[in-house]
Amino acid sequence: MTTHVTSAPHNRDRRSPSLHAAAAHRNAPESRTPAPGNRRLYTAHIDPDIQIVAAEPDFSRQFGRTSADTCGRSLYELLHPSAPSVLNRHFTRLSEGRSARFAERMVGLGNAGRVFSGELTGIAVQNTTGRLAGIVVQVRPDTEADPTDGKDVIGPPRERLLSKLDAQVLEGIAAGASTVQLAARLYLSRQGVEYHVGLMLRKLKAPNRAALVARAHSMGMLTVGQWPPRVLPEFIK
């Protein structure tokens, strides 16, 4: 009988953490051309300090960068400013061995002010002693768009899109408040609420309230991982 030996554990123990992380990245699930209607996964590898140590070119391209420009950066530099408050607890659980993977909503920052929404999955990579060697990160955008096509582009932070009252109305809609509830809360008439809603529908090019909230989320205007949602100050005049 022929015995097949894959690899000896003592050989893996001799590898440095950086080599182990690089090997884990090579063995991570690859992004392949999807079947029609499926969204692609884009993969990178980060160290326990959330620094990117390896990234496939398509991963970097989603954020408007090259692989060389992506490696060495914190993952948070590629994400919406609210990301650390949501993702830190997930990464802590991975590093402490309390979970092996997680999936969370994210908003990514592309080039020229472009933002996009999607799902971020983190997968713990352990060495043979059970310690965390690194984390495989997979990003699955909600829509397959060309990062340079100019869609979903927002202005720089100094371009305030909403008045304070607009922001309060949007926060209420995102939290599920009705027109009557918003009118009572903001001391407006029902017509006044509808006026502000109409302004935002036109400004954000959304056909209805549900689309307005989805559009605001995709543009990074609303906080992620916080309830009730809040409009970030950089979008308020």
Side-chain angles (χ1 to χ4, degrees):
M1 177 184 297
T2 301
T3 302
H4 297 279
V5 179
T6 54
S7 59
H10 66 273
N11 288 335
R12 290 196 298 270
D13 287 339
R14 294 173 182 168
R15 292 188 297 181
S16 67
S18 60
L19 289 178
H20 187 94
H25 176 70
R26 289 195 300 269
N27 294 329
E30 297 180 356
S31 297
R32 293 183 171 87
T33 303
N38 291 344
R39 295 170 295 154
R40 287 189 60 182
L41 280 173
Y42 302 97
T43 304
H45 198 287
I46 64 175
D47 64 20
D49 294 324
I50 322 299
Q51 301 294 314
I52 299 172
V53 297
E56 63 177 13
D58 284 345
F59 177 93
S60 302
R61 196 171 296 119
Q62 288 298 303
F63 299 94
R65 300 177 183 271
T66 64
S67 294
D69 184 44
T70 301
C71 293
R73 292 182 179 273
S74 168
L75 175 67
Y76 292 146
E77 292 185 47
L78 309 183
L79 304 177
H80 190 272
S82 62
S85 64
V86 180
L87 297 178
N88 275 344
R89 67 176 183 270
H90 289 302
F91 287 127
T92 297
R93 288 174 60 85
L94 292 185
S95 65
E96 294 176 350
R98 291 187 287 142
S99 66
R101 65 183 292 146
F102 71 85
E104 184 61 78
R105 297 293 301 166
M106 54 141 275
V107 175
L109 305 178
N111 58 353
R114 174 185 174 271
V115 298
F116 64 95
S117 59
E119 183 178 82
L120 183 146
T121 300
I123 305 169
V125 178
Q126 296 179 337
N127 58 26
T128 55
T129 65
R131 297 177 63 85
L132 184 72
I135 300 170
V136 172
V137 171
Q138 296 178 324
V139 168
R140 189 192 299 271
D142 288 335
T143 58
E144 289 297 328
D146 180 353
T148 61
D149 66 2
K151 295 180 180 179
D152 294 331
V153 173
I154 60 174
R158 65 179 179 271
E159 184 179 335
R160 314 287 179 162
L161 297 179
L162 304 176
S163 69
K164 184 176 180 180
L165 190 53
D166 288 336
Q168 291 174 317
V169 172
L170 179 57
E171 290 169 351
I173 295 173
S178 67
T179 297
V180 174
Q181 291 170 324
L182 283 173
R185 183 185 305 170
L186 301 176
Y187 303 102
L188 294 171
S189 65
R190 294 178 61 179
Q191 291 78 11
V193 172
E194 294 297 343
Y195 170 77
H196 286 279
V197 172
L199 284 178
M200 288 186 288
L201 291 176
R202 291 190 292 274
K203 187 173 294 185
L204 300 187
K205 298 181 175 62
N208 52 51
R209 293 189 179 199
L212 175 65
V213 174
R215 178 72 170 169
H217 270 298
S218 73
M219 295 176 68
M221 296 175 66
L222 294 169
T223 54
V224 179
Q226 176 182 337
W227 189 264
R230 292 286 180 262
V231 176
L232 293 176
E234 54 262 38
F235 292 95
I236 301 175
K237 297 176 182 177

